[in-house]
Amino acid sequence: MLTFIGLGLYDKNDISEKGLNCIRNADYVYLECYTSRLMGSSREDLEQYYGKPVHPLYREDVEQHPDAILEQSGNGNVAFLCAGDPMVSTTHADLRIRAAERGIKTGIVHASSISSAVCGLTGLQNYRFGKSCSVPFPQKNWSPTTAIDVILQNRALRLHTLVYLDIQDDRYMTVPEAVSLLESMAEEKELTIPLYVGIARAGSDEPVVRAGPADTITATDFGPPLHILVVPGGLHDMEREYLERFGGL
Amino acid sequence: MLTFIGLGLYDKNDISEKGLNCIRNADYVYLECYTSRLMGSSREDLEQYYGKPVHPLYREDVEQHPDAILEQSGNGNVAFLCAGDPMVSTTHADLRIRAAERGIKTGIVHASSISSAVCGLTGLQNYRFGKSCSVPFPQKNWSPTTAIDVILQNRALRLHTLVYLDIQDDRYMTVPEAVSLLESMAEEKELTIPLYVGIARAGSDEPVVRAGPADTITATDFGPPLHILVVPGGLHDMEREYLERFGGL
């Protein structure tokens, strides 16, 4: 059996009891290391916590050479760990399909995800979020502006936008970097974004939430990664009051 | 201190290690019983599992008479438990604001939420979801059609819609009931919804996921609650393949 187990938001203690039991019964434990990161615990921390080896998996292991994992899943219990809630990434979906094609039983153990955690951290209401988007690091001859289009479309419908920030190797985009990039995109379209809400280290004991206009946010030190951003589509009274209390608005 | 602790999707084992540690250190434990339900474990199951009393909280306790909870939070550690991820409901946000007004420290321990779990269960990609909506039980002289408007708006943008189903006392709307209601609304607008994806008991060992047109879905027995529904805004290849494998499409 192949079980996809979410580790949750921040460190080794964010896994569910159900997930931990599943790891205890696993013959092989893999940690997916390329779509997200559990910032508060290293792979070695996890090995010590579970009392068994945790093998790292990189993109080529899963997308090019999944045979080893699939073979083990056919013969025993394999735990496939990833930060957040599993399957938000297409690469996990693809592996689950391949397993099913071979007649291997699969399962999912869910965990906390930034997509719902932002609601609690910011007070921005779940049902007021539209489509999400991401801001990639600009590269030579490639500076996509999809993010600002999604934000503007959502704002026209008075919806909030969850903006995922790029991770490349050991480089994590910060909230101030993302806001600067979005401000340039908005300027080109002669538009203004009045309010941003930056969040750092969701799920940790010391998450940072800071709401304000671009100049306030770009001047804020959010500390270590991971960072994420919300662009509100206007605020209801309760949302404003919450951000005043817990987001320094 | 007042800590909002998510219990996750289905039963007592869906809580995180972090949340469980927090309950172990709590002087008072409350279970919020009016915005959602942990179907796989009763309050008595939780009491036995934690080895301490778990006091039920109803809407009037939180919204009309929060003084008792706030006073205890000022003098000791209070754990406020709720199914899913905390704070998705405005009533939790309001309580956190009231606590902060009194200078009481607050915190959130996140957990799995249906809003991200649907992605794993259905293979429908997170970034393709638009605004969510809910279908209430129709009442005398009150049959709101907001849900169909949200679905149509999302479909026009090729986005999926997560449709929350009503809970009233011990009455849980089923997927077939919701689809019938949406079909009537669609018919009035002379529109057709080609595909629904119904989900039951997310987070349990035996979740049901079934994709198909209205007549297939209304004829499907999804079993006990909780149920939830997704109306896709068209399918990408990988999404279709996933639903064929895991949703009987």
Side-chain angles (χ1 to χ4, degrees), chain B residues 83-138:
Chain B
D85 195 27
M87 295 282 160
V88 166
S89 169
T90 48
T91 181
H92 304 164
D94 185 60
L95 186 62
R96 192 177 179 209
I97 291 169
R98 287 177 191 226
E101 279 169 358
R102 296 196 185 193
I104 295 165
K105 200 180 165 200
T106 58
I108 305 174
V109 180
H110 297 283
S112 51
S113 166
I114 191 65
S115 68
S116 66
V118 285
C119 300
L121 291 165
T122 63
L124 296 169
Q125 291 299 301
N126 184 256
Y127 71 93
R128 297 195 60 214
F129 278 79
K131 179 179 163 64
S132 59
C133 64
S134 53
V135 178
F137 284 117

Side-chain angles (χ1 to χ4, degrees), chain A residues 13 17-18 85 96 242, chain B residues 13 17-18 96 116 242:
Chain A
N13 295 117
E17 288 286 291
K18 203 172 269 181
D85 195 27
R96 192 179 178 206
Y242 199 92
Chain B
N13 295 116
E17 288 286 291
K18 204 173 269 181
R96 192 177 179 209
S116 66
Y242 199 93

Side-chain angles (χ1 to χ4, degrees), chain B residues 2-23:
Chain B
L2 174 60
T3 310
F4 295 85
I5 302 173
L7 297 178
L9 287 167
Y10 188 71
D11 65 28
K12 64 183 193 298
N13 295 116
D14 285 322
I15 192 170
S16 69
E17 288 286 291
K18 204 173 269 181
L20 205 56
N21 287 337
C22 200
I23 291 172

Side-chain angles (χ1 to χ4, degrees), chain A:
Chain A
M1 179 164 181
L2 174 60
T3 309
F4 295 85
I5 302 174
L7 297 178
L9 288 166
Y10 188 72
D11 65 29
K12 63 183 196 298
N13 295 117
D14 285 321
I15 192 170
S16 69
E17 288 286 291
K18 203 172 269 181
L20 205 56
N21 287 337
C22 200
I23 292 172
R24 291 199 177 114
N25 293 324
D27 301 303
Y28 307 94
V29 180
Y30 287 107
L31 175 66
E32 188 268 86
C33 296
Y34 59 95
T35 69
S36 191
R37 310 282 164 91
L38 199 70
M39 298 309 297
S41 299
S42 67
R43 187 169 62 80
E44 291 71 24
D45 293 337
L46 298 181
E47 289 189 325
Q48 200 173 354
Y49 192 54
Y50 306 148
K52 54 175 78 180
V54 173
H55 306 285
L57 281 177
Y58 301 98
R59 190 176 290 277
E60 62 273 18
D61 301 322
V62 179
E63 298 185 356
Q64 310 298 327
H65 313 290
D67 286 352
I69 307 167
L70 293 173
E71 205 153 299
Q72 288 166 335
S73 305
N75 299 323
N77 289 318
V78 172
F80 181 100
L81 313 184
C82 56
D85 195 27
M87 295 282 160
V88 165
S89 168
T90 50
T91 181
H92 305 165
D94 185 60
L95 185 63
R96 192 179 178 206
I97 290 170
R98 288 177 191 227
E101 278 169 357
R102 297 197 183 192
I104 295 166
K105 201 181 165 197
T106 58
I108 305 173
V109 181
H110 297 284
S112 51
S113 166
I114 192 64
S115 68
S116 66
V118 286
C119 300
L121 290 165
T122 64
L124 296 168
Q125 291 300 300
N126 183 257
Y127 71 93
R128 297 196 60 214
F129 278 79
K131 179 179 163 63
S132 58
C133 64
S134 53
V135 178
F137 284 116
Q139 290 172 355
K140 210 177 162 186
N141 305 324
W142 190 70
S143 309
T145 58
T146 318
I148 200 75
D149 297 332
V150 172
I151 290 167
L152 297 176
Q153 186 183 78
N154 281 335
R155 280 182 54 81
L157 300 166
R158 291 188 56 76
L159 297 175
H160 310 318
T161 310
L162 180 59
V163 185
Y164 291 91
L165 309 190
D166 202 1
I167 300 178
Q168 283 193 8
D169 301 318
D170 288 328
R171 193 172 161 221
Y172 303 92
M173 187 181 288
T174 66
V175 164
E177 283 176 312
V179 169
S180 299
L181 288 167
L182 289 173
E183 285 289 297
S184 317
M185 298 178 207
E187 201 175 316
E188 271 185 31
K189 294 181 187 271
E190 296 183 3
L191 290 159
T192 309
I193 296 177
L195 182 66
Y196 292 93
V197 185
I199 301 131
R201 296 175 304 291
S204 76
D205 289 343
E206 301 286 345
V208 168
V209 178
R210 180 59 52 89
D215 53 353
T216 305
I217 299 299
T218 51
T220 300
D221 179 4
F222 283 82
L226 298 175
H227 292 188
I228 196 159
L229 184 67
V230 180
V231 180
L235 297 178
H236 287 180
D237 288 350
M238 174 86 82
E239 293 176 320
R240 177 170 298 279
E241 201 180 345
Y242 199 92
L243 284 174
E244 284 168 358
R245 280 280 163 196
F246 305 108
L249 188 64

